[in-house]
Amino acid sequence: MSTARSIQNLALIGFMGTGKTSIGRLVAEQLHYDFVDTDELIESSTGRTIPEIFAQQGEVAFRQLEARLVEELAARMRTVISTGGGLPVNPANLASLKTHALVVCLWASPEKIFERVRAQTHRPLLHDPDPMAKIRSLLAAREPAYRQADVLINTELRSAREVAQQVLHQFRSALPDQP
Ligand code: S3P
């Protein structure tokens, strides 16, 4: 880790269905930090849901909204930031997050991800005739980006509370002073 970094925040990255939002909320509660979710911030600033943005403006426009939001997040302090699954694929987004946050990636296998997301309908990228194949190919394509995180945590065999404890431990170890 570069000494030029100043860790004020904790960012959670990872594929859809790895628990970034639920674990992020638990961690923020424990740290007494604010919690933000990039998808929720985009939805509230545009007044549209993520599926509406994809349908009406397309994925490229959504990625531009994400990139703009990432720049704004640099002003945050004491915040747990849960990110959309595709956000760190843009190297500039990841580089920006790393200037102010410890970046933790939550990981799960394609099978586990499918099990978690199969009953949900709010993710346009998984509206596919073969969602399992889509998960496999997207995850393989994104793996190099996810591996750029400071810390990688497998969520598969642990409860959300246990994963949250691991994230907290990693974050506290990375801070010069305990929060
Ligand atoms: C996306 C993940 C979603 C959301 C959008 C695109 C992706 O967020 O940003 O549907 O590209 O993986 P979650 O990871 O919170 O589901």
Side-chain angles (χ1 to χ4, degrees), residues 85-97:
L87 183 145
V89 173
N90 177 347
N93 288 346
L94 198 52
S96 175
L97 288 175

Side-chain angles (χ1 to χ4, degrees), residues 14-18 20-21 37-39 42 50-51 54 59 62-63 66 82-87 89 117 120 122-126 138 142 146:
F15 204 78
M16 298 172 259
T18 51
K20 291 163 296 191
T21 305
D37 175 288
T38 59
D39 287 340
I42 289 171
I50 303 296
F54 270 72
E59 183 174 351
F62 174 72
R63 298 301 172 199
E66 271 188 333
S82 167
T83 62
L87 183 145
V89 173
V117 303
Q120 302 172 346
H122 63 281
R123 295 182 175 99
L125 291 178
L126 300 181
L138 264 183
R142 291 176 176 182
Y146 293 145

Side-chain angles (χ1 to χ4, degrees), residues 91-112:
N93 288 346
L94 198 52
S96 175
L97 288 175
K98 280 193 173 182
T99 62
H100 59 88
L102 183 79
V103 178
V104 175
C105 179
L106 302 184
W107 185 262
S109 66
E111 293 75 17
K112 193 70 184 178

